[in-house]
Amino acid sequence: MASVVDWADRELRLTDHVSVLVGAENGKYPSGNSLLVRGAGEAVIIDPSVDVVSMGGAPAPIDAVINSHSHEDHMPGNGLFIEARVHIHDDDLPGARSIDGLMEVYGLTGETREQFAAEVIEHFNYTPRPDAEGFTDGHVWDLGTVHVEAQHLPGHTRGHSGFRISDGVFFLSDIDLTGFGPYYGDVWSDLDQFDESLAAVRDEDAEYYVTFHHKGVIEGRERFLELLDTFHAVIPRRHEAMLEFLREPRTLDDMVAHRFVYRPHVDHTFADSVERRCASLHVQRMLERGEATEIAPGTYRAA
């Protein structure tokens, strides 16, 4: 059961209604920066992180939890705020409702699936919320004196969403503007949709942009667009690196072993599956553009 907890200087007040609950190392994974929105009628928390769980609650009683999408690091507090409503985009509902649904989002199978499911339960406090409610693009939560509006920004997951808050705050979630670049390594990820979402979010005009990881709070549209352009540029840079690799005949296994997303020393449970998904999406794009050909079943070469 959650308590009302004083976060002291880890609660960053952006406006009278909106605070960032700053995660460890500015929200470095597995932590994250959660958003607290207090209205005259209700208070909601967006993406309650592992830090919110370790703190035991938020600085206000929580009426509803809003998840930007169904990844393990964005839902730890779903079980902490067990009496609060849970909202998540329709397309990501399975990941909030059951652990099997979440594993389907990642597309993991066999031993890797079992191992990661155990990690999610143990380290991310995963709690199934079969009562989770879906929303769609443009849904508005009227909290009294402040509104939260959902903007569907798919690509990272099918249901990944940002949130426009009437106080001049936009929550970017995992459009996190890091040097790592866009993550589209799950079965429910889509490279073309991510490109489209990054183009769409350019139109957002806010005083504050908040990322769940790393960057935290970005002040002003000019700085936001600079970071967004750098972030978006990772996609073509990654694409060109893969295309260069395919100057010699290669299989997807070769591309996975080479590592285009993670550095060679990174040892995540799901690293290989992420590399395979990303490589397959880029190869598909290359084939569609005539940049590469399939010279034998499962073997590709730059055209």
Side-chain angles (χ1 to χ4, degrees):
M1 182 74 68
S3 301
V4 175
V5 177
D6 182 4
W7 278 59
D9 59 358
R10 291 183 64 189
E11 179 185 2
L12 178 60
R13 295 294 292 256
L14 299 182
T15 73
D16 290 341
H17 301 107
V18 182
S19 296
V20 180
L21 305 182
V22 180
E25 298 186 69
N26 209 35
K28 181 180 179 181
Y29 182 88
S31 298
N33 302 307
S34 303
L35 213 62
L36 173 63
V37 187
R38 298 176 175 92
E42 289 192 328
V44 302
I45 189 167
I46 302 176
D47 288 354
S49 68
V50 291
D51 302 271
V52 174
V53 173
S54 65
M55 290 289 287
I62 299 300
D63 298 289
V65 173
I66 303 174
N67 296 139
S68 64
H69 61 291
S70 60
H71 274 167
E72 77 286 351
D73 50 330
H74 295 257
M75 302 189 295
N78 287 13
L80 179 67
F81 300 104
I82 199 67
E83 296 181 355
R85 306 185 310 275
V86 172
H87 303 269
I88 191 167
H89 192 278
D90 284 345
D91 290 341
D92 272 20
L93 266 172
R97 287 180 169 174
S98 73
I99 189 66
D100 284 339
L102 181 56
M103 292 302 105
E104 290 300 315
V105 170
Y106 293 110
L108 301 176
T109 59
E111 184 178 347
T112 302
R113 178 185 179 121
E114 293 178 9
Q115 183 179 347
F116 190 57
E119 290 179 15
V120 166
I121 293 168
E122 179 179 358
H123 299 298
F124 291 91
N125 195 49
Y126 182 83
T127 303
R129 290 297 301 261
D131 58 323
E133 304 171 21
F135 62 80
T136 55
D137 184 49
H139 183 89
V140 175
W141 292 266
D142 183 353
L143 307 181
T145 66
V146 64
H147 298 79
V148 178
E149 180 180 359
Q151 182 180 1
H152 189 207
L153 296 169
H156 183 65
T157 68
R158 293 175 183 171
H160 181 271
S161 298
F163 300 97
R164 186 182 300 113
I165 301 163
S166 55
D167 276 15
V169 179
F170 192 88
F171 186 67
L172 292 157
S173 188
D174 271 358
I175 297 178
D176 55 20
L177 308 181
T178 63
F180 180 85
Y183 173 97
Y184 39 90
D186 301 329
V187 168
W188 281 21
S189 301
D190 187 284
L191 179 54
D192 291 334
Q193 286 184 344
F194 214 137
D195 267 330
E196 292 167 2
S197 291
L198 292 175
V201 82
R202 292 185 64 85
D203 294 333
E204 291 301 323
D205 190 2
E207 293 183 38
Y208 301 100
Y209 302 84
V210 182
T211 68
F212 188 71
H213 294 300
H214 297 288
K215 296 296 182 184
V217 178
I218 299 104
E219 294 191 45
R221 178 171 166 77
E222 183 177 352
R223 179 58 178 157
F224 162 65
L225 291 177
E226 290 175 1
L227 292 170
L228 183 65
D229 286 342
T230 301
F231 181 74
H232 200 168
V234 173
I235 294 177
R237 187 165 67 245
R238 193 177 285 159
H239 186 86
E240 289 302 317
M242 292 185 187
L243 194 57
E244 178 66 25
F245 188 68
L246 292 182
R247 293 197 181 280
E248 299 293 335
R250 313 281 189 179
T251 65
L252 285 180
D253 285 343
D254 294 330
M255 299 178 78
V256 169
H258 185 79
R259 290 282 184 102
F260 291 94
V261 179
Y262 294 107
R263 294 176 181 175
H265 69 275
V266 174
D267 188 28
H268 285 319
T269 303
F270 48 82
D272 283 355
S273 68
V274 169
E275 294 285 347
R276 184 173 299 277
R277 175 62 174 167
C278 289
S280 66
L281 288 172
H282 279 278
V283 167
Q284 179 182 350
R285 177 172 284 190
M286 292 172 195
L287 294 174
E288 291 171 351
R289 292 177 175 178
E291 297 173 332
T293 57
E294 188 172 15
I295 60 174
T299 301
Y300 308 93
R301 185 172 186 168

